[in-house]
Amino acid sequence: MSELNKAMIEQYRNSFLSEVEANVEEGEWVKMCMQCGVCSGSCPLGKHWAHPPQEIFMMIRAGKREEVLTSDSMWMCTSCYNCIVRCPRQLPITHIMHGLATYAKKLGLTPKNQPTAKFAEIFWNNMMKKGRVNELKLGLSLYFKDGFGPGIKEALRNKDLGMKMMKAKRMAAGEFFGGHGVKDVSGLQKMIKKAQELEDARMKKFDEPEASQDG
Amino acid sequence: MAKREYSYYPGCSSQKGASSSNLMKSVDTMCEELDIQLNEIPDWNCCSASIGYASGSELPRLTLSARNIALSEEHNKNQEIVATCAACWLATKEAAERLKEDESMFAEANQALAEAGLKLQNTTPIKHMAEVIVEDIGIDSIKEGVKKPLEGIKIAGYVGCQTNRPFGIAGESFENPMYLDNLIEAVGADAIPTYEKKVQCCGGALAFSEPEKSQEMIKGIIEAAYDNEADMIATPCPLCQANVEIYQDQINEKYNTKFNIPVVYYSQLIAVAYGRSASDAALDGQLIAAKQLEDVAKK
Ligand code: SF4
Ligand code: SF4
Ligand code: SF4
Ligand code: SF4
């Protein structure tokens, strides 16, 4: 178990809801859910969610920490924003789902080989190198995300597509060797590092026992 | 028409040689025709779209967009920011709003920006190009400039999700927006206002990570276009365009369908209707050729 996960369990022993409110993006909204179920009927990949958003909110309140954070469900969110425009209580559901996914990943609780979690990581790393996305490299690392063997198979399956994209000048081979990027890469990286530090510091604050807490 | 100027955020997928470079090219042409000057934000960076979240959590993500806004405020003073990619627009606008609501987050974003020598004022409006067309210019004015109406072409207007939600176009419904249909009519083509998949999600970034699940949805989007006897699909969103166009072969293989329907941008419709060539309209950037548009362009 990751150290951070241990620390958080210790800290929020009996209130997963407070943990979510403190550490998850827009988590303070969870208590506003009135369990109407509109969001759950809105997810395009609904049948693939073991626990649709409404249920996730209920489980958070019921303290089902492990079940929520190790779930595959929030990784099914396509960011379609159907839920947000329909929720009668205006919960920022999309962001809470993203926030739960991010938090679970931080704690090392994401299911193994979750493809969207992997893709998100590949995407972010690809972008952070130069400040812009290099689509060719992004595509290649995607094929190989499950390892070399399946990667080759996947790449071959998409070979025809790749050729067509090249022909239409929508995939430049030159990108692989250089390609797009920002000029001030070092400034950008310093900036993100700082932002990350500031955010981690926010979470650490909750690590320290607060005077107001009982015991 | 008086000249309009905007600060332009093209986004990664619209760079030269990238997957939506045909959007970029046709937008350039459209803007020439509509007397719009786009001033690219110098040294803009990627916004991390709707997928970066899992690795770059809240503040780093907001800071990425804050950098673009700050650069725009410094170099393209007093110009509204315009994006052509739905995800770019959404990420940037969302960051601006979040940083307006949350003062401590705003302060921390500026602390991070200082590392790159930048400062965010956060007073710049952030628009989608569709808003420029619909609100700033107006569909009636678009109609006035049409030289070659796209007569007899039936087009399913596919708005998708993020151009439409959560912000959308003022006065339009989230569930049944009409502006794209109105635009299709304005350029002389036949719209299908009851195209039932007009705001159906295509899977977005999950088309890469969950291809089977997403392609099932994409299949529905295309099927409905055929059921409505559409000749082609038109969309404002680069990811919608790519997802609905490029996987048709794979879907055919899996489901035994015979899909082969062109998927074009609204900007390509305008470029052709305004009398520009197939190459100015970037029709050579289609994987599935939009023959009827090529024919009009040749006329
Ligand atoms: S739509 Fe809103 S109120 Fe209804 S269940 Fe979902 S989050 Fe709760
Ligand atoms: S944004 Fe995510 S949570 Fe909301 S409806 Fe779409 S898939 Fe479901
Ligand atoms: S949304 Fe996509 S294309 Fe636009 S900047 Fe972000 S990553 Fe790049
Ligand atoms: S339809 Fe697809 S690409 Fe377009 S906005 Fe929705 S998820 Fe994104």
Side-chain angles (χ1 to χ4, degrees), chain B residues 12 18 42-43 61 86 90 113 133 142 159 161 174 216 233 285 288:
Chain B
C12 308
D43 211 36
R61 224 177 54 234
L90 176 57
L113 281 169
I133 301 290
I142 298 281
V159 181
C161 322
F174 293 126
E216 196 183 336
I233 296 172
I288 299 171

Side-chain angles (χ1 to χ4, degrees), chain A residues 39 42-44 49 53 76-83 93-94 97:
Chain A
C39 53
S42 300
C43 297
W49 292 63
M76 295 296 139
C77 174
T78 60
S79 311
C80 73
Y81 291 79
N82 270 332
C83 51
I93 301 156
T94 316
M97 292 303 126

